[in-house]
């Protein structure tokens, strides 16, 4: 079975550039989560979608970050403009229901120079 | 959510049983205890979840005493591939929130 798919796996960009991270959740899962992991702050929830609708975006750092889920099989996390402090590993996770087990993707390692 | 305390790191050898204890003194009545495992360069993976007493699956066992102020993840006969970070997370029933702490970095040596 295909798990959560994320692309790209690695992204290196320069400060000020737009970055788009992509996620394909497990088929049939209704809940999708975006997390960010850094050494300093650990793993943090950025935003949660249920049935393609953003439910909780309280973890989104600032207006430079935006996330969309145009359909049940695709989501994007966009950073514009990117800054060096955005360097982190970004994970997407999905679950069948809001409180069910979350399955994480392999992550996207973002480096902003 | 309850604050958790786990050892920062643990060392073990192949074939040994490893027990990782997590303290959660102010755990709420409707909190479950969930454990995740994270290998290097991968996302966290659910291992086991319990409310009280003992839960066992094909990967691990979870022991939760009656007062529920702590829990112990038990990994039987570890192998090198069990080297990972293990997170203990109290989780409210019917909640999507996973609050990851620092976890315990387990190193299994040959």
């Amino acid at each position: 079975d295909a798990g959560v798919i994320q692309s790209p796996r690695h992204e290196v960009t320069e400060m000020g550039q737009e970055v788009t991270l992509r996620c394909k959740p497990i088929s049939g899962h209704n809940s999708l989560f975006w997390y960010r992991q850094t050494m300093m702050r650990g793993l943090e929830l950025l935003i949660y979608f249920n049935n393609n609708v953003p439910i909780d975006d309280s973890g989104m750092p600032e207006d430079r970050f935006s996330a969309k889920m145009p359909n049940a099989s695709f989501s994007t996390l966009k950073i514009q403009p990117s800054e060096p402090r955005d360097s982190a590993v970004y994970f997407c996770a999905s679950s069948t229901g809001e409180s069910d087990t979350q399955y994480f993707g392999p992550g996207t390692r973002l480096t902003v120079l | 959510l309850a604050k958790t305390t786990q050892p920062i790191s643990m060392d073990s050898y192949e074939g040994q049983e490893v027990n990782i204890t997590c303290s959660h003194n102010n755990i709420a009545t409707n909190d479950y205890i969930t454990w995740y495992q994270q290998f290097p360069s991968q996302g966290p993976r659910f291992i086991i979840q319990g409310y009280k007493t003992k839960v066992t699956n094909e990967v691990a066992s979870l022991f939760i005493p009656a007062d529920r102020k702590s829990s112990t993840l038990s990994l039987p006969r570890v192998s090198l591939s069990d080297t990972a970070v293990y997170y203990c997370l109290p989780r409210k029933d019917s909640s999507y929130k996973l609050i990851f702490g620092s976890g315990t970095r387990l190193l299994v040596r040959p």
Side-chain angles (χ1 to χ4, degrees):
Chain A
D1 288 343
V4 175
I5 298 172
Q6 292 188 245
S7 64
R9 293 295 310 276
H10 302 273
E11 176 80 33
V12 180
T13 190
E14 293 188 346
M15 183 174 64
Q17 297 297 306
E18 177 180 294
V19 174
T20 299
L21 311 181
R22 297 172 176 80
C23 173
K24 177 179 170 56
I26 295 172
S27 178
H29 282 195
N30 299 321
S31 297
L32 183 137
F33 309 82
W34 282 99
Y35 290 84
R36 177 173 68 176
Q37 186 172 36
T38 62
M39 288 294 292
M40 291 296 294
R41 300 175 66 89
L43 200 63
E44 306 172 285
L45 176 65
L46 299 178
I47 188 167
Y48 157 54
F49 290 87
N50 190 38
N51 291 322
N52 313 337
V53 176
I55 302 299
D56 180 0
D57 65 354
S58 59
M60 295 287 265
E62 49 199 271
D63 292 346
R64 297 185 298 108
F65 285 69
S66 63
K68 294 182 179 180
M69 192 164 185
N71 57 62
S73 59
F74 184 64
S75 176
T76 59
L77 178 67
K78 185 177 294 186
I79 309 173
Q80 165 64 19
S82 58
E83 297 182 2
R85 59 191 169 123
D86 301 330
S87 295
V89 181
Y90 292 81
F91 291 103
C92 176
S94 69
S95 63
T96 51
E98 180 173 278
S99 59
D100 296 325
T101 299
Q102 294 181 25
Y103 295 86
F104 285 74
T108 295
R109 181 173 296 276
L110 172 65
T111 302
V112 183
L113 303 174
Chain B
L1 290 173
K3 179 177 167 58
T4 61
T5 303
Q6 315 176 220
I8 294 174
S9 64
M10 295 180 68
D11 278 16
S12 183
Y13 291 92
E14 281 191 293
Q16 289 188 333
E17 178 184 74
V18 171
N19 295 309
I20 305 174
T21 296
C22 177
S23 297
H24 28 79
N25 290 322
N26 59 337
I27 191 168
T29 303
N30 59 343
D31 283 351
Y32 283 77
I33 305 301
T34 304
W35 284 78
Y36 274 76
Q37 172 192 54
Q38 185 175 22
F39 297 114
S41 301
Q42 294 188 27
R45 182 176 76 113
F46 171 84
I47 302 178
I48 198 167
Q49 176 173 289
Y51 185 78
K52 60 181 178 181
T53 64
K54 178 182 175 181
V55 179
T56 297
N57 62 22
E58 65 277 6
V59 176
S61 294
L62 178 61
F63 300 90
I64 305 172
D67 66 7
R68 304 198 334 116
K69 292 183 183 298
S70 66
S71 59
T72 298
L73 176 73
S74 181
L75 304 173
R77 296 182 298 281
V78 293
S79 64
L80 297 178
S81 62
D82 291 317
T83 293
V85 179
Y86 293 82
Y87 297 95
C88 161
L89 298 82
R91 177 179 179 175
K92 291 201 179 301
D93 188 22
S94 301
S95 172
Y96 58 87
K97 285 190 181 289
L98 297 181
I99 309 297
F100 288 85
S102 301
T104 297
R105 191 171 299 274
L106 173 65
L107 174 62
V108 180
R109 302 178 186 272

